[in-house]
Amino acid sequence: MKWAGPRGILNFPKTKTITVFHDDPAITVIEQVRQSVCITVDSDVKIDGEIGKMKIGSGKYAVGYFEIDEKGFEKAWNTMYLWFTESGYQPADGYSYELYYNSPDEDSKHRFVLDICIPVKTL
């Protein structure tokens, strides 16, 4: 935000924040899980320094909408993975991510409003 704000890239509420997961916390020790913290952008943005660009691949995703407090993330992710047992789908290659619609500071109950998105393929 400190980098994007002065460059005029932030356009809330249109701009969304995203956390992309490069590792599965069920397999990787939580302290070693790699994540990218991102914002959505409309146009080609020049990057510099530690800032990079990432494009999330298109395709089919299982998407779950949640309104949770900071303690609800594990349960929300478990809910998503339980869905696979009856869905006829399995996780596919690609990045899973959380797409945030708000800041918890903006919510009277300090909830995160987000989608959890997991790439899928048929069994």
Side-chain angles (χ1 to χ4, degrees):
M1 299 301 176
K2 289 180 183 179
W3 181 89
R7 289 165 176 78
I9 297 169
L10 299 177
N11 183 19
F12 294 109
K14 188 176 183 179
T15 300
K16 303 291 185 248
T17 56
I18 299 173
T19 300
V20 177
F21 296 91
H22 301 277
D23 299 299
D24 182 347
I27 299 170
T28 306
V29 177
I30 195 69
E31 294 82 18
Q32 296 178 351
V33 171
R34 296 170 296 143
Q35 303 173 12
S36 293
V37 179
C38 311
I39 60 170
T40 57
V41 293
D42 284 334
S43 60
D44 193 27
V45 175
K46 290 186 177 185
I47 57 169
D48 58 48
E50 295 180 350
I51 304 302
K53 255 192 245 188
M54 171 185 283
K55 184 173 182 173
I56 297 173
S58 62
K60 287 187 179 184
Y61 284 81
V63 179
Y65 175 82
F66 297 92
E67 295 181 11
I68 55 176
D69 63 19
E70 62 186 25
K71 296 178 184 176
F73 283 90
E74 182 177 2
K75 184 177 179 182
W77 278 92
N78 287 343
T79 298
M80 291 297 295
Y81 278 101
L82 279 172
W83 173 83
F84 283 107
T85 60
E86 297 178 5
S87 69
Y89 288 93
Q90 63 185 347
D93 291 338
Y95 297 125
S96 295
Y97 62 94
E98 297 169 347
L99 173 73
Y100 300 90
Y101 293 99
N102 76 328
S103 166
D105 297 334
E106 299 167 352
D107 186 85
S108 63
K109 296 180 182 177
H110 299 287
R111 295 174 298 184
F112 293 85
V113 178
L114 70 143
D115 288 338
I116 293 178
C117 307
I118 303 171
V120 297
K121 62 183 177 183
T122 55
L123 288 172

